[in-house]
Amino acid sequence: MGEQTYFHSVRLNKDKCTGCTNCIKHCPTEAIRVRNGKARIINERCIDCGECVRVCPHHAKEVVTDSLAALSAYKYNIALPAPSLYGQFKNVKNIGYILAAIKELGFDDVFETSVGADLVSLYIRRELRKGNKNGPLISSACPAIVRLIQVRFPELTDNIIPLRPPFEAAAMMARERWRRSHACAPEEIGVFFISPCAAKMTSVNAPIGNARSHLSGVISMMDVYGKLAAILSHQEKLTPLPVRSFAKGVGWARSGGECASVTDKDYLAVDGVFNVIRALEEIENGHLPELRFFEGQACVGGCVGGPITFENPYVARMRIDRFVERMTESGEDDHKSEPHLDDDSEMYFTEKVKPNPIMKLDEDIGEAIKKIARIEELCADLPGLDCGSCGAPSCRCLAEDIVRGYREEVDCIFKLKEKVRDLAEEMISQADREDKVRDLAEEMMSLADRMDVNKEETK
Amino acid sequence: MSEQILTEVFEVEAGDFVAAGAASAQIKRILKQLSVNSDLIRRAAIISYEAELNLVIHSLGGKLILRVMKDRVVISTEDVGPGIADISLALKEGWSTASDDIRSMGFGAGMGLPNIKRNADDFEIRSAAGSGTTIVTTIYL
């Protein structure tokens, strides 16, 4: 079911997974369990934030993206570099050289995603003028945060600005520009986003708020980093391409950049998914009544900290800051024209962003109440060590899984020990009854099998 | 009245800013696991957080209680004092007895009780100087 309705780009490489439980504790939506010695991602819960990609010591979590071979399906190909790409390389004189290097990868044109950011900024400013009645407007630019809100903050879905993210805006502009200048059909043009993260890949495969994406595919920044770094090491041989985006559009690469583009007051920018959760809780509590705009980004530092970027996010952020400074100081922005899209009907969501009710225990409130009472009982009974040995991130989470019917109490290693001891004692007391002892021994055997929690599936 | 009841009681200590927000976070988690609508969660979140902070800031300690029935959610607080001398004044926006210390932490804007009242369908408060305060708020499903 999940596979069709919800396409994920974060996947598990079973061969590399050792079942070590590092990932389960770092998942902001409790979407991972270890069963039979392997991690499993629960499709309905995963928001593709990429935390598990970062934290896995065995690199068993992978981001599935398109390869450059996908370009062969189109007559023309346009690259849409995320502005975070500009922070990946050392000693680059200006962004124009990076754009020229991207073209060398086999693209016919390069269109800056930051131009899309400039356009989206204009639309957000318009939305901010309209205002909002219940709390701040929330940016829709980070797809992982939009999905986080759907899963963990259902009451805030109405606050999400119903605007498509910059890469969609840029894709529309890029295709339109090429179509006009080359008199070709839109289908002949492949538009590929060079992405710092998994969430945007997922957003292309299963857009939020719209039926389809304007992108033809997504290329991982990590996959092209090496090639681009090699080309840029001889940047004197390149002719830089003109930079069309404004400094502010480039600034979207790091946390706070979007805020700086759309407003100068009553805003809050937060980066890192767990920090965003804490900030959304404050908003949820009504503790920030003056707030009008909230920018949350799942990655530390913003997009420069994406799970499939190469450079250290702080270093990348510093380089973005330099580019933004130089662009601002040079006055080059004064000669640029504001981005524009003739048909902007596709700039907006056509469908409402709905809560994803995975936390619900039961459709019937009476049943749900019973289940909550049962969870509390189980929690009081479980050891409360949150050791992760059962494969769930916490005792509470195991209790919830038990109530949902996915696990049993003896999946807890401590409960299992107790059970074995009880059986052994019963065996001793029944020692004179051979049939009874045989039954008890069989039950113990089956528990012993279970005790080997990291045993791999034999099937 | 409905027979199906869930009751959760959370002890809240006076002045314990470290744990402040933990009880209301539990309440939110529970409500999200029930099949209640988003607007109710939004209102209940504000009520439970403000009520919990009131216990931390103004009371000598007390309980934050969640009751869920088939047709309503009741969030209430019971504290052991010091009581409110003039309830109508306490319900006024911007009025607060919070100390400068509390205000310097960003609290004590005098919006707590008015916010609770605004977000509840039914609101009851009982108090007197020198005794405890009881607040009962109801949101209908």
Side-chain angles (χ1 to χ4, degrees), chain A residues 30 134 152-155 281 284-285 287 359-363 365-366 368-369 372 376 396 400, chain B residues 4-6 8 26 28-30 32-36 38 41-42 45-46 49 68 70 107 141:
Chain A
E30 297 179 334
N134 283 323
R152 286 193 54 165
F153 298 92
E155 74 292 351
E281 278 166 356
E284 182 177 56
N285 290 339
H287 198 207
M359 286 178 80
K360 265 187 196 174
L361 287 165
D362 204 290
E363 281 307 313
I365 189 155
I369 288 173
I372 284 182
E376 296 300 328
R396 173 165 288 271
E400 288 177 15
Chain B
Q4 202 81 60
I5 284 191
L6 174 84
E8 296 283 337
Q26 281 289 338
K28 284 190 285 184
R29 181 172 177 126
I30 289 170
K32 286 174 187 177
Q33 290 177 331
L34 295 173
S35 313
V36 299
S38 299
I41 292 173
R42 188 183 61 76
I46 295 171
Y49 179 74
V68 184
K70 272 195 163 166
F107 300 105
L141 295 176

Side-chain angles (χ1 to χ4, degrees), chain A residues 353-416:
Chain A
V353 180
K354 288 200 205 87
N356 174 0
I358 53 121
M359 286 178 80
K360 265 187 196 174
L361 287 165
D362 204 290
E363 281 307 313
D364 178 73
I365 189 155
E367 285 305 308
I369 288 173
K370 279 186 203 158
K371 287 181 178 174
I372 284 182
R374 176 78 184 123
I375 289 170
E376 296 300 328
E377 256 176 53
L378 284 164
C379 277
D381 200 37
L382 288 168
L385 297 173
D386 296 340
C387 69
S389 296
C390 63
S394 65
C395 293
R396 173 165 288 271
C397 194
L398 174 63
E400 288 177 15
D401 286 354
I402 293 170
V403 167
R404 288 177 200 271
Y406 302 137
R407 314 282 343 239
E408 290 169 54
E409 258 188 288
V410 282
D411 285 314
C412 167
I413 192 90
F414 298 92
K415 286 280 142 198
L416 186 65

Side-chain angles (χ1 to χ4, degrees), chain A residues 137-248:
Chain A
L137 287 170
I138 297 175
S139 164
S140 57
C142 176
I145 296 302
V146 173
R147 290 194 199 277
L148 174 78
I149 291 171
Q150 288 181 294
V151 169
R152 286 193 54 165
F153 298 92
E155 74 292 351
L156 293 176
T157 51
D158 287 343
N159 296 53
I160 297 168
I161 301 178
L163 276 171
R164 303 195 85 166
F167 58 90
E168 290 289 348
M172 285 186 261
M173 283 190 279
R175 184 175 277 117
E176 183 57 18
R177 191 179 66 161
W178 188 266
R179 192 186 64 77
R180 283 189 186 176
S181 59
H182 289 77
C184 62
E187 311 82 67
E188 292 179 295
I189 310 166
V191 181
F192 289 88
F193 179 57
I194 301 176
S195 178
C197 69
K200 293 189 185 89
M201 174 75 193
T202 305
S203 170
V204 167
N205 285 301
I208 307 161
N210 295 80
R212 64 178 200 98
S213 167
H214 291 275
L215 285 131
S216 315
V218 175
I219 311 267
S220 158
M221 208 171 270
M222 197 71 97
D223 287 351
V224 291
Y225 170 78
K227 286 186 188 124
L228 288 174
I231 298 168
L232 283 164
S233 66
H234 304 288
Q235 60 181 305
E236 67 286 350
K237 291 181 189 161
L238 298 168
T239 310
L241 295 179
V243 178
R244 291 189 197 87
S245 66
F246 290 79
K248 283 189 167 170

Side-chain angles (χ1 to χ4, degrees), chain A residues 243-246 327 330-338:
Chain A
V243 178
R244 291 189 197 87
S245 66
F246 290 79
M327 286 172 82
S330 69
E332 61 180 271
D333 281 1
D334 300 341
H335 311 289
K336 290 172 187 166
S337 50
E338 293 231 313

Side-chain angles (χ1 to χ4, degrees), chain B:
Chain B
M1 270 299 172
S2 166
E3 74 295 349
Q4 202 81 60
I5 284 191
L6 174 84
T7 305
E8 296 283 337
V9 181
F10 305 93
E11 299 287 339
V12 180
E13 266 185 60
D16 186 2
F17 282 95
V18 176
S24 49
Q26 281 289 338
I27 289 180
K28 284 190 285 184
R29 181 172 177 126
I30 289 170
L31 291 177
K32 286 174 187 177
Q33 290 177 331
L34 295 173
S35 313
V36 299
N37 70 51
S38 299
D39 186 57
L40 188 146
I41 292 173
R42 188 183 61 76
R43 291 159 66 201
I46 295 171
I47 291 173
S48 53
Y49 179 74
E50 293 285 2
E52 183 178 5
L53 278 182
N54 273 350
L55 290 175
V56 173
I57 296 168
H58 300 288
S59 86
L60 301 169
K63 295 182 177 76
L64 178 66
I65 304 156
L66 169 73
R67 289 189 186 85
V68 184
M69 282 150 261
K70 272 195 163 166
D71 62 338
R72 74 191 72 183
V73 169
V74 179
I75 297 165
S76 50
T77 62
E78 290 168 14
D79 69 44
V80 296
I84 302 168
D86 187 336
I87 290 176
S88 59
L89 209 52
L91 284 168
K92 256 195 186 160
E93 288 191 6
W95 194 88
S96 177
T97 57
S99 67
D100 287 346
D101 266 4
I102 295 290
R103 285 172 202 263
S104 72
M105 294 168 76
F107 300 105
M111 294 304 291
L113 278 178
N115 253 340
I116 293 174
K117 193 176 174 190
R118 189 178 318 119
N119 284 289
D121 290 320
D122 290 343
F123 174 86
E124 275 174 57
I125 181 164
R126 285 188 299 276
S127 185
S131 68
T133 300
T134 303
I135 295 170
V136 182
T137 64
T138 306
I139 311 175
Y140 294 96
L141 295 176

